[in-house]
Amino acid sequence: MLETRTQHRLAQERYSISAVQHLHNLGCLSPRTSLAHSVWIDDADIALIATTGATLILNPVSNLRLGSGLALILKCLKARLNVFFGCDGAASNDAQNLLEAIKLGTILHTVSDGDYENWITPERAIEMATVGGAKGVNLSDRTGTIAAGMEADLVLYNLNHPSMLPRTNPLQLLVLGRPTEVVESVWIRGQQIADRGRVLTVDTDALHQALRQHSLDLERAKFQHRFG
C-alpha cells in the first residue's frame, strides 16, 4: 500500500484520487484490513483510514533498505490508528529480525518531530508489537496479551545476558538496546519451540549446512558459466 513514490503517482494518474480513497470507494477498508508500508499517505488518507478502523504495518528496515521513504507513523498514532511492526520479506529485508524492526521503528521517527513527548516510548512499542499486532491480524481475541483464556504465546528473555545489563530498565534495553541472543525460551499455543536459545522444531545444523552447500553450488555455477 503506497510503499513507493511511483505507486503514489500511478494511483493519482489512474484514479485521479489517492489510493486510500480508491480502496475506500471499493469497500476494502475496514477493521479487517491491514495496510503494509503506507509510506506515501497524507493527512487526508490518515483521517480516512482512522474512520475505517484499518491497521498500518510499519516496515522500517525494509523501507530504508529500498529507499522507499519514511512513514508518518507519529501522525498515525496521534490519529489513534492501530500500528504494528513488520519485517517485510527476506528479499527486501536481509534480516528477519522483529526486535530490530521494533527498535528502528521506535527511534526512526524522532527526526520528524522534535518534541520528545510525541516519540514512541519502549512501553508503547511493546504494546504496538503485541496488542497492536494481534489486532491487526484479527487475533486479538486469542493472543497479544498474557491473560486468562488467551493462547499461551510466551517469550522468555535472558536478563543476565551482557546486552541486557545493567538491569536498570529491562524493557527499555529490550527495545532500544542490542538484545542479541537473549531469547531463552519460546512457547506458541503452549507448545515449547525454543529452549535455552535452541530451536526445537527445526534441525538448524542441517539447515545451515544446506545453505552453505547452496552458496558453494552457486559459486561453482558462476565459475563454470564464466570459464566453461
Side-chain angles (χ1 to χ4, degrees), residues 37-113:
H37 303 295
S38 302
V39 174
W40 291 93
I41 59 176
D42 56 24
D43 291 348
D45 293 330
I46 292 173
L48 181 56
I49 296 170
T51 63
T52 66
T55 289
L56 264 63
I57 308 173
L58 175 62
N59 299 282
V61 180
S62 170
N63 293 155
L64 290 181
R65 177 72 170 84
L66 301 179
S68 300
L70 185 64
L72 303 174
I73 295 305
L74 295 183
K75 285 188 175 183
C76 292
L77 293 174
K78 190 174 182 179
R80 300 186 181 279
L81 266 67
N82 184 48
V83 180
F84 69 96
F85 302 97
C87 294
D88 206 1
S92 52
N93 180 348
D94 304 278
Q96 297 291 283
N97 188 326
L98 186 57
L99 288 175
E100 178 184 53
I102 293 172
K103 175 180 179 176
L104 189 57
T106 299
I107 63 177
L108 180 63
H109 307 283
T110 60
V111 299
S112 63
D113 191 330

Side-chain angles (χ1 to χ4, degrees), residues 49-210:
I49 296 170
T51 63
T52 66
T55 289
L56 264 63
I57 308 173
L58 175 62
N59 299 282
V61 180
S62 170
N63 293 155
L64 290 181
R65 177 72 170 84
L66 301 179
S68 300
L70 185 64
L72 303 174
I73 295 305
L74 295 183
K75 285 188 175 183
C76 292
L77 293 174
K78 190 174 182 179
R80 300 186 181 279
L81 266 67
N82 184 48
V83 180
F84 69 96
F85 302 97
C87 294
D88 206 1
S92 52
N93 180 348
D94 304 278
Q96 297 291 283
N97 188 326
L98 186 57
L99 288 175
E100 178 184 53
I102 293 172
K103 175 180 179 176
L104 189 57
T106 299
I107 63 177
L108 180 63
H109 307 283
T110 60
V111 299
S112 63
D113 191 330
D115 187 350
Y116 72 91
E117 292 189 353
N118 296 329
W119 296 351
I120 301 173
T121 64
E123 292 79 8
R124 184 70 180 278
I126 291 295
E127 182 182 7
M128 292 165 61
T130 54
V131 178
K135 181 180 178 182
V137 294
N138 300 297
L139 293 176
S140 57
D141 60 330
R142 293 160 48 186
T143 189
T145 57
I146 301 176
M150 304 294 278
E151 293 181 349
D153 296 337
L154 307 170
V155 180
L156 295 185
Y157 295 95
N158 178 10
L159 299 184
N160 292 319
H161 192 277
S163 65
M164 298 295 288
L165 297 173
R167 202 179 305 161
T168 52
N169 188 332
L171 184 60
Q172 180 172 310
L173 288 171
L174 181 63
V175 174
L176 300 179
R178 190 172 180 268
T180 57
E181 301 179 359
V182 297
V183 175
E184 179 72 16
S185 302
V186 179
W187 289 264
I188 296 178
R189 296 180 179 176
Q191 177 184 356
Q192 189 170 11
I193 66 167
D195 180 37
R196 288 171 289 182
R198 183 173 62 88
V199 179
L200 303 178
T201 57
V202 176
D203 186 342
T204 54
D205 291 337
L207 176 60
H208 294 164
Q209 179 59 36

